[in-house]
Structure formats: C-alpha cells, structure tokens
Amino acid sequence: MRTLELLAPAKDLACGIAAIDHGADAVYIGAMRFGARASAGNSVEDIRSLCQYAHQFQAKVYVTVNTIIYEDELEATRNLLEELRTAGVDAVLVQDMSLVGHCPLPLHASTQTDNRTAEKVAWLKSLGFARVVLARELSIEEIRSIHQQVPDIELEVFVHGALCVSYSGLCYASQYCFGRSANRGECAQFCRMKFNLVDADGKIVEHQRHLLSLKDMNQLANLEQLAKAGATSFKIEGRLKDVDYVKNVTAAYSQQLDKLIAAHPDCYRRASLGRTVHLFTPDLNRTFNRGYTTYFATGRQPDMASFDTPKAIGQYVGQVKSVKKGVCFSVDTSTSLYNGDGLCFMNAEHELQGFRVNRVEASSSRSGKGVTWLYPFKMPSSLSSGMSLYRNQDQQFETLLSKTSAERKLGVVMSLRATTDGFSLTMSFPDTSLQDVQVSIVHVHQQAQVDQRDNIVRQLTKLGGTPYYCKAVDIPSDFDYFIPSSRIAELRRMAVAECSLHKGKHRLSSPEGSVAETSSQPLPAYERSYFYNISNSQSRAFYATRGLSVAEDAFELHTPQQPLIMQCRYCLRYALSCCVKNGGRQPQWREPLSLQLSDGRRFPLVFDCRHCQMNVYAESR
C-alpha cells in the first residue's frame, strides 16, 4: 500500500484553506522571506492557522525557504525555521545547503537544487533529505529509473502549471539582464519576452516571437503512470495564482486521484483523511492556462511552446462568422457565453487581443450548434470573420467558484452508552489511526415510555458547521433510557469540541533521518562551479567538506565572463522542426544562432546534442 499526496499551492491563508477543502493532501506556502516567490509571503501566524486547519485532516503544510541565502541573512533564516517549527509546519523546501544540519524540521530538496539524475537524488538522500522535488523536464521512464535506483526516498513531481524553460536553479537570465535573481524569488520572466532568432549571417530566422515561452504543464492523464513509476507527491504549480485557480485545479486532480485509488484499492491510498464533496464540476480549460503540454513525460513533443503569446488564451469557443463593424459580431459555437465574459483572439500581427462582452444574444439551430451574437463593451477593430475565438475569463465559472464550492469532512461513528451515573458518547474514526474521543455527563437514568432511538440519532447526527459527518450511530439494543434532547445535544457538542481541540493541536515535527556530516555519495559535478549557487560562508564550508575545494561565488555575487545563463532541455532546433538527429528537416540557417531582444542584446545558443540540451549564453562584453 503506497501513499499518494496531492500537493497544492497557497498564495495565502485563504488559498491554503481552499486547497485543503477541495481535496489537497498537503499545501506549500511561502513565509515572509526566503521563498522562491518573493511576492507571495505570509506571516508565521497565518502559517500557524493553516497548520491547525490542515492537521484536522492529517494534511500537511510545507513552507518554501528555497532561495539562496546571503551571509547577513543566516541568523534570520534560522530564527524563521525555529518559528516555523513551533507553528506546526511539517517540512521546509530548501535550496541553500547552508541549512543542512541546521534545520529543526524535515528537509525537502527544492526543484531549485536541480534534481534530474539518480546520482543527485542519492546524494541528497545521504545528506538526510526526506524528499526530493524532481526537475520538471524528466520523463516518466526517467522517474521510474530514479525510483528503482534510490527507492527509499520520497519523490515529488510537478503535474500542473507554468513551466520554466531552464532547469530550475540554473537560470541566471533574469539576474544578468535585469538584476533580479530567480534564485532569490525575483524572476523577471526573461523567457516570456519576444526575441528575434538570428543566424551567423545576421539573417532573422524568426521575427519578434516568444521563442522561449512554454505552454503550461498538464499531467492529469498521466497520474497513474507517474504513480507506478514511483512518484509520491503530485505538485500543482502556482503560489502566485488566485483562489479560484487553486479550487478548480485542486478539485480536478483530487477527483482523478480518487479514481486511480478506486481502481487500485490494494495498491494506493490518499495521504490525508476526510471526504471532499465538490459543489461544481472542475474543468481545467476554464481556468488560467497558456495552452497545455505534457512536456517530456512521454518523450520530446513538438508543441511545447506558445510562440505567439505568453498570456492565457483560455478555452476555445468557436469561429467568428460575421462582423458588423463597430457594433457586434456572430460566432459559431456550442459553448454557452455570458455577459461579462472575457474573450480574445490572435490578430493579423500575431498579437493576442482581448475584450469584454457587454451583451450576449444566443440562438440555437436544429443541429445543436447555434449562432451567438456578441456585443463587446468596445468593438475590436481588427476582428474579422474566420478568426478563432477563445474565452480567457469565464464570468459564470468565476461566480460559481466565488461561493462555497466544496466541503471536506471526516467520517465519525457516534457510540452512546449508559454509565453508572449518566451517559457517555464516544466519537471514533473508522479506517484511520486517529484516537477515539469520549465525553460523559451526569444524568439520572429514567426509563423511556416510547422508543427514543430515532430522536437520539437525529440529535447526534446534527454535525453541520463542523469538520465531521456521521457515518453511523451505535446504540446498544437494550438501551431504553429517556434523555432530553438538550442533554444529547450537549454530549454531541462536548465531543466535537474535544475532538477538534485534539485534532487541531500542533504536531511539532522532528527531522526525519540523520544529517550526514560526510556523504558516502560523490558530490555531483557541474561544468560551471557557480552552478552550486554558493552565496554564504556556511554553504561554502558545506561543499568544501564534501570535496569541492575551489568554487566560484554564486552568479548573484559575481558575474562571470560570457556566462552560461540557461540550461534547457527544450530545444529551438526541435521546436522549429530542424533537429536532424530526430528526423527533422535540414535547417536553412547558418549557425551559431542567437536570440536577440528588441534592444539589440544577443544571447548565443549552443546545441549540446550529446546531452539533448540547448544552452543559452550571454554575449561577451
């Protein structure tokens, strides 16, 4: 029996609670500092509240402390870690190795530590890490191989959300161009910008396109294969996303995990407790997305990128049929559209253009596919017949998600018994390891004149507004006492209060496994020593004791000459169907190629075909 965990993002406390309610087994959230999304910070008190809520269902809370840490921040980081421990946090995600041996909580190796090989995972395990977050670029077969070679460590994999084009932790483009470090949570999204692709003769192969902007990941159809490969935790990206996104995506993946477990009940179980009832039908096409890709899950795919736009396109709704200039237009669609919807289309200049619908007038045909007339607030002048139309803001869906959209409760059995001087009520949690809770009252025993069973059951099952629902009421067959309804309700309230108090207590975590002073595993080697991201003396000492005698400072502290600023498994040769190695056509350009920003800055590309990798360099100064 293997435990499967759905791990959802939490921008803030409200998002974290929504994630738990909608079926997450764990959430990850940032503290005020040192998280890889600098604009998504939360107070320790809010994190404490989230832990209390999550732990009712034995769901876990992980905190991201996954930036590199500067010398003058070491003490503040350790103080934060101790505060997080007392708040009840279950683990922290880290990148900086100065925290190994100095953290009072279990350690998860962030994807920022560039975890793409079995050797790296084995090394991290030997250091005492309880879990490793694998690189997004790995295939299912590569994940399986890592699990087979290092079977006794938890593997966390990304299954949904935005994709970084570079291996995480090894992207220095934002720091190089804008002084904003991705390793400090301040990425300026260099990869979402427009570029020219220029060859060695100065010829522009591609003009002003988003050549590095990837679609969003969607592995909903691959959960079973990922589980079979050895993945323990399925991670949804999105600590900057709003609560509607968290609700919809978490619900979709939770339902899919439940189907997987129902099909293999002897193999898998959920990592947390409780029954989640969704009050809407989740639909990944109706929430923020740049179009979807499975990335490298089943091998290299030709349609990973979205060259035309880095923005959310949304759900395809149909084609424009006719246009009344400046007034309205009609669209062939079977999709219901609503006043206030946000629609968009790709104009003749390959720019995404959007507008808001003021009024919808729909008519249906016998075929079921109707013609809908749309009246925008402002009619887009470049809209013409034949264009594809997409909905990137769904007014009805957003309204639905703004309300209570899920309930999560623990199933309990209520057992009523007579005691020497009154009555007792026991709340038990079948099929869990949770301890029973028992409360009692003093009350005179009075023989019932009529059967009280129905009234007792009615009073004990009034659990609305609590985290519980009643699966069964256990009353002995010879129980024939009269108890006033008010006393039965008193027993129920006492049991719920005692149970909630017990379940909501902080579970102070202790490190899982020992932290090795020296590792039996060799230190993974990098071609550039600044890839180790050493930004403080303790991190430097850590690596020195493990065999790294000479290493450059982190890129953020010292910019090398003509640096390698991105390592990408994604490849432009392949994306443009010109990878001869993989059956593509012979390119018409002369290499080397370069990416060029609109301000003229160039970034040479080197294709490392032996490792199936594209490297992006900064132009020599």
Side-chain angles (χ1 to χ4, degrees), residues 330-392:
S330 64
V331 57
D332 279 325
T333 183
S334 58
T335 302
S336 297
L337 300 173
Y338 301 93
N339 298 346
D341 277 352
L343 303 180
C344 61
F345 62 95
M346 202 65 65
N347 64 24
E349 287 74 39
H350 293 282
E351 294 281 352
L352 191 69
Q353 190 170 344
F355 59 92
R356 185 66 67 88
V357 176
N358 185 39
R359 189 170 87 251
V360 177
E361 292 182 358
S363 61
S364 59
S365 64
R366 291 180 180 178
S367 65
K369 188 173 184 180
V371 175
T372 299
W373 285 93
L374 301 177
Y375 295 78
F377 279 96
K378 182 179 180 181
M379 186 70 184
S381 58
S382 55
L383 188 70
S384 61
S385 59
M387 285 184 167
S388 295
L389 198 65
Y390 301 85
R391 176 166 57 188
N392 57 2

Side-chain angles (χ1 to χ4, degrees), residues 136 158-163 215-219 292-293 295:
R136 294 170 173 85
F158 281 92
V159 293
H160 197 89
L163 288 166
K215 296 178 180 179
D216 288 353
M217 179 185 278
N218 182 340
Q219 304 289 8
Y292 287 126
T293 175
Y295 210 25

Side-chain angles (χ1 to χ4, degrees), residues 80-102:
L80 172 63
L81 291 171
E82 180 57 28
E83 290 182 60
L84 294 175
R85 184 190 72 83
T86 61
V89 167
D90 296 282
V92 289
L93 290 89
V94 303
Q95 173 186 188
D96 199 303
M97 291 297 154
S98 66
L99 300 182
V100 174
H102 301 282

Side-chain angles (χ1 to χ4, degrees), residues 318-576:
Q319 278 196 328
V320 176
K321 185 177 181 181
S322 62
V323 177
K324 293 183 179 179
K325 291 293 183 182
V327 181
C328 61
F329 66 96
S330 64
V331 57
D332 279 325
T333 183
S334 58
T335 302
S336 297
L337 300 173
Y338 301 93
N339 298 346
D341 277 352
L343 303 180
C344 61
F345 62 95
M346 202 65 65
N347 64 24
E349 287 74 39
H350 293 282
E351 294 281 352
L352 191 69
Q353 190 170 344
F355 59 92
R356 185 66 67 88
V357 176
N358 185 39
R359 189 170 87 251
V360 177
E361 292 182 358
S363 61
S364 59
S365 64
R366 291 180 180 178
S367 65
K369 188 173 184 180
V371 175
T372 299
W373 285 93
L374 301 177
Y375 295 78
F377 279 96
K378 182 179 180 181
M379 186 70 184
S381 58
S382 55
L383 188 70
S384 61
S385 59
M387 285 184 167
S388 295
L389 198 65
Y390 301 85
R391 176 166 57 188
N392 57 2
Q393 186 167 4
D394 190 324
Q395 187 67 29
Q396 186 196 46
F397 201 56
E398 289 182 6
T399 300
L400 184 64
L401 290 175
S402 68
K403 303 171 184 176
T404 300
S405 48
E407 289 183 345
R408 182 168 181 168
K409 293 179 180 289
L410 288 172
V412 298
V413 172
M414 314 283 269
S415 301
L416 183 66
R417 297 291 185 270
T419 62
T420 304
D421 58 353
F423 301 95
S424 69
L425 179 65
T426 301
M427 279 180 65
S428 58
F429 302 83
D431 304 320
T432 78
S433 59
L434 297 178
Q435 293 182 347
D436 296 350
V437 168
Q438 187 176 81
V439 294
S440 60
I441 58 171
V442 176
H443 189 81
V444 63
H445 288 176
Q446 182 180 350
Q447 202 76 18
Q449 298 301 312
V450 295
D451 189 1
Q452 295 293 302
R453 191 172 301 269
D454 287 348
N455 184 56
I456 291 172
V457 170
R458 185 164 51 251
Q459 295 300 326
L460 291 181
T461 56
K462 290 181 178 180
L463 292 170
T466 75
Y468 314 106
Y469 72 95
C470 188
K471 299 178 73 171
V473 176
D474 176 22
I475 307 172
S477 59
D478 59 351
F479 189 98
D480 61 351
Y481 299 105
F482 170 75
I483 314 175
S485 295
S486 61
R487 298 311 306 271
I488 302 173
E490 181 184 352
L491 271 173
R492 184 194 69 236
R493 287 192 293 268
M494 290 168 60
V496 167
E498 182 65 24
C499 195
S500 297
L501 178 66
H502 178 68
K503 302 300 180 299
K505 287 181 180 177
H506 296 159
R507 296 179 297 144
L508 300 184
S509 302
S510 57
E512 300 171 7
S514 58
V515 177
E517 290 301 321
T518 58
S519 173
S520 59
Q521 298 290 330
L523 177 69
Y526 277 122
E527 59 188 281
R528 303 291 181 98
S529 63
Y530 62 81
F531 282 7
Y532 289 103
N533 295 326
I534 298 172
S535 58
N536 59 68
S537 59
Q538 290 187 4
S539 181
R540 182 172 294 281
F542 167 90
Y543 281 109
T545 61
R546 288 159 177 84
L548 186 66
S549 56
V550 179
E552 298 172 80
D553 284 337
F555 191 99
E556 289 76 4
L557 300 178
H558 174 72
T559 304
Q561 289 295 315
Q562 197 176 3
L564 172 55
I565 59 173
M566 277 186 174
Q567 270 197 346
C568 311
R569 196 168 199 177
Y570 164 79
C571 176
L572 272 172
R573 266 189 190 166
Y574 189 90
L576 295 170

